[in-house]
Amino acid sequence: MRSWEWARPVRPVRREVLSAVPELEEGRPPLLFVPGFGHGAWAYAENWLGHVAARGFSAHAVSLRGHGGSDPAPEATLRAYAHDVVQVAAGLPRRAVLVGHGAGALVVAHAMARYPARAAVLVAPVLGGWATFGTAVRRNPLGTLPAVFGAGLRLNRKQLFSGELPDADARRHAARLGRAARRAQWQLLTGADPEPAVGEPPVLVLGSPDDRVVPASALTQAARRYGSAPLLFPGMGHDMMLDARWREPIDAILDWLVKDPSRDDRG
Amino acid sequence: MPTSTEPGQPDPETTTLARGPDGRPVSDRGDTVCVIGAGASGLTAVKNLAEHGFGVDCYERETGVGGAWNWRHDRSPVYASTHLISSRPFTQFPDFPMPDHWPDYPHHSQLLSYFERYADHFDLRRHIWFGTEVVRVEPVGDDRWDVTTRSTGGYGPERTSRYAAVVIANGHNWSPKLPRYEGLEQFRGEVMHASSYKDSAQLRGKRVLVVGAGNTGCDIAVEAAQQASRCWHSTRRGYWYAPKYVFGRPADQVNDMLLALRVPLRVRQWLYHRTLRLTVGDLTRFGLPKPDHRVYETHPIANSLLVYHVGHGAIAPVPDIERFHPHSVELTDGRQIDPELVVFATGYLPRFEFLDGKILGDDEGVGRPRLWLNALVPDHPTLAVTGLLQPDSGIFTLAHWQAVLFARLLRLRANRPERAAAFAARVRAGAGERYSGQVKDSTRHWFEVGHADYLRALERALRELESK
Ligand SMILES: Cc1cc2nc3c(=O)[nH]c(=O)nc-3n(C[C@H](O)[C@H](O)[C@H](O)COP(=O)(O)OP(=O)(O)OC[C@H]3O[C@@H](n4cnc5c(N)ncnc54)[C@H](O)[C@@H]3O)c2cc1C
Ligand SMILES: NC(=O)c1ccc[n+]([C@@H]2O[C@H](COP(=O)([O-])OP(=O)(O)OC[C@H]3O[C@@H](n4cnc5c(N)ncnc54)[C@H](OP(=O)(O)O)[C@@H]3O)[C@@H](O)[C@H]2O)c1
């Protein structure tokens, strides 16, 4: 019984959704990409959306409230972010695959408890808790510590991209980064675990052992939570959709979907 | 299975032949579950059964989904102006929210488009045989069921298929409840039940008497206040007319805030009485009867406009009808009025014309089933009813969880039969349980549930099922 959710529905906002659809609709499930904190839908529009559409899937990316081109929302909570994802997913013509990156993976995990996703993909997931915080502090104390006191969490270029990405690109992307709402940031550390997913969606976890935000151990842990092992892409930074070798992980995701993981599961 | 909007028949590929008791062929649908009706409750049953891995055949007598909310359907009780009485978060399915830019109280056409999107999003239409009516459901051995169907309207031959389980989702707001009155046959004016009321043009310029103060009666009285030349509103008791908004928010959301804080019923009733007193004030000054019950003891009325029009003299409240005369209606206080049109908004009665009433525990034949959680049938573990509810909220979340419970129960039967058998004892013990506070005795309260109490009971049942 979710009395509070009934009593206090999340405030509606205008949300930015960027899309790329294939020329020929082939009956494949649509993908909905959810950016991590500080990122907007633009992060996926750079490389992934077009590529996904070229491979015959329709691709959509939402900017969580307060990010990218969506309305500002300084008081947003994780619940509001999950609401944004479920709203967009339910607005798609067919059951969607949810893809979350960074803290967007945690938002996806929450959304999965409110929407029976076709499948879910967690890319370099930041699922919260103090361990994540520990890593972040060690790698980037100046960007992280102030966040505890309500300032914006700042990630630097070295954490997000590998050395292979041309410096100009890295600067351009870093300049677009925004920040998540204070309460949501705080919930990332202290919030309750997501409720179990509804509809038993298959879940794929992938990341890079050289990610300077999410350590390899966190990837293994995240994958174990969903009963699998992570797919690893060595040599890439945290922002896999923007890094120089962005093509490899997205191809792996689409290959996994083409195999139709839900079939194996159900028999 | 092919998609079909034509009168359909089960997929021949998976069919093997058995013989029914009368020697007619019966196609055996194996482990497939049959769902009767593709209204909101039927759709959520199809979705959740499919999600739990079951094959599903759903039969729908109309040619589209949405049931009552498709106002083109000949049995739809919805009229042009119908808006929800339960606000959006109370009404949507828990795993498929309505768009958050919709109004707090959406229009019936939005509801229909919501159900159509639900059906498409979860690819449900491939399970549905439209234009096909269920005419008989009979138990055969092994807890299996023979379901006989034919094209709606009685064309074509009957077909019988055997199913592992059946979900009845035929709705309970389509078969009119018409009270009997002395002299009604001799009455020369026009008489209709609210189920055939569609549009306020039907009232224009007429002297109209509306009977009944459920949400339908109140809506029609409000329309009559604006369109008819006169409007009398007859009720056999006084009610609490709750506004749709209080304290700047939809009223049901305010109430759930109190529920979330676990404020006890008595205190909530007191608060409610205070609030109504401070807003609309004492209604008896308009000639409305004083309620003979506390708030929450009759199905809630959510209508901000009724009192408004009574206060403007456009609706004249009158007591119950004593009898009809050819050119007038006599009221219980002895007054005579002369309406040209009488609209009976006296509600609906449940009907399961395809099933022996005893199976649902209606031993006295009054039409009232005896179930646990308004859904599970004692001694028939593979039969369930969904949507047989009259909640103080939207019905759809409740129907969703009913469907989930039944799907899990069926899965348990397959995987752990001994545990499912233990659960059957629970169903028997719980039959007839109520999930609301005290309510006034009336057919309209047969299925009345408090949504919070009811959802908690369902949650407990789901946990019991998983844990034992
Ligand atoms: C005017 C009005 C307003 C309402 N407003 C609200 C509201 O605001 N909120 C709310 O939650 N509820 C409201 N209700 C209650 C309403 O009954 C439910 O919202 C909802 O329609 C119930 O859905 P259902 O699927 O159980 O039944 P229905 O919508 O009646 O659907 C039953 C379906 O089964 C089909 N069927 C029936 N018998 C057979 C058969 N033998 N063979 C094959 N198919 C069959 C019918 O054709 C129909 O499509 C309102 C009701 C009325 C009358
Ligand atoms: N969304 C909306 O706007 C909307 C609109 C309409 C209806 N609905 C819903 O649809 C359902 C059905 O509503 P409804 O209004 O059609 O029916 P209802 O709630 O059953 O109301 C029937 C009314 O008729 C009266 N009545 C019944 N039998 C009578 C008799 N023999 N003599 C005199 N009066 C009699 C009842 O009085 P008693 O109280 O004395 O029994 C009651 O006032 C409800 O769930 C309702 O909430 C929603």
Side-chain angles (χ1 to χ4, degrees), chain B residues 36-43 59-62 64-69 73 75 77-79 82-86 90-91 115 132-135 169-174 216 219 348 353-354 386-388 390-391 393-396:
Chain B
I36 304 172
S41 307
L43 289 176
Y59 297 108
E60 168 54 59
R61 59 188 297 284
E62 297 282 354
V65 300
W69 294 97
H73 289 173
R75 286 177 179 175
V78 160
Y79 32 87
T82 309
H83 285 80
L84 282 184
I85 32 164
S86 42
F90 283 65
T91 311
F115 295 127
T132 308
E133 185 170 37
V134 170
V135 291
N170 66 333
H172 61 97
N173 278 332
W174 56 270
T216 307
D219 274 357
Y348 298 85
E353 71 281 13
F354 43 76
T386 59
L388 189 60
Q390 198 70 259
S393 71
I395 220 170
F396 314 126

Side-chain angles (χ1 to χ4, degrees), chain A residues 1-9 12-13 15 83 86-87 89-96 114-116 199-200, chain B residues 47 51 89-90 94-100 117 120-122 249 253 256-257 260-261 397 411 451-452 455 459:
Chain A
M1 174 72 206
R2 302 166 183 159
S3 310
W4 279 117
E5 297 185 22
W6 292 24
R8 307 230 57 129
V13 294
R15 286 175 287 266
H83 167 93
V86 174
Q87 279 286 320
L92 295 174
R94 314 188 42 198
R95 231 170 126 191
R114 292 289 181 274
Y115 170 77
E200 303 169 17
Chain B
K47 170 192 164 281
E51 205 169 281
F90 283 65
D95 58 354
F96 190 75
M98 293 183 191
D100 62 3
R117 281 205 304 111
D120 292 334
H121 195 88
F122 295 109
R249 305 169 49 75
Q253 296 178 16
D256 259 41
M257 187 108 71
L261 296 170
T397 296
R411 190 148 79 176
H451 69 282
L455 281 172
E459 206 173 350

Side-chain angles (χ1 to χ4, degrees), chain B residues 4-9 38 58-65 73 128-134 149-157:
Chain B
S4 163
T5 48
E6 299 288 294
Q9 30 201 267
C58 172
Y59 297 108
E60 168 54 59
R61 59 188 297 284
E62 297 282 354
T63 52
V65 300
H73 289 173
I128 307 173
W129 300 98
F130 290 102
T132 308
E133 185 170 37
V134 170
T149 58
R150 64 162 186 231
S151 300
T152 306
Y155 311 109

Side-chain angles (χ1 to χ4, degrees), chain B residues 79 83 85 177 213 215-216 236-237 239 299 390 442 444:
Chain B
Y79 32 87
H83 285 80
I85 32 164
K177 175 188 179 190
N215 283 295
T216 307
R236 58 178 179 182
R237 66 175 94 242
Y239 295 95
H299 183 66
Q390 198 70 259
S442 170
R444 66 192 292 231

Side-chain angles (χ1 to χ4, degrees), chain B residues 212-214 218 233-242 276 283 288-293 298-299 301 442 444-445:
Chain B
C218 292
H233 188 200
S234 157
T235 61
R236 58 178 179 182
R237 66 175 94 242
Y239 295 95
W240 299 95
Y241 298 95
L276 285 184
L283 294 180
L288 280 163
K290 191 170 148 55
D292 60 349
H293 55 277
T298 49
H299 183 66
I301 301 169
S442 170
R444 66 192 292 231
H445 294 141

Side-chain angles (χ1 to χ4, degrees), chain B residues 414-432:
Chain B
N415 300 339
R416 310 282 300 273
E418 71 295 344
R419 280 218 269 152
F423 198 76
R426 184 75 195 78
V427 176
R428 217 170 296 127

Side-chain angles (χ1 to χ4, degrees), chain A residues 141-197:
Chain A
L142 286 182
T144 313
L145 277 176
V148 178
F149 305 104
L153 177 68
R154 290 196 351 249
L155 299 171
N156 60 37
R157 268 178 290 148
K158 293 258 157 50
Q159 282 176 295
L160 297 180
F161 312 111
S162 70
E164 288 171 51
L165 187 71
D167 212 37
D169 284 342
R171 270 175 209 286
R172 181 164 59 86
H173 299 324
R176 299 189 75 169
L177 292 177
R179 60 160 297 185
R182 194 181 330 130
R183 288 170 67 193
Q185 264 179 197
W186 185 244
Q187 287 175 320
L188 184 60
L189 292 180
T190 60
D193 271 349
E195 289 171 33

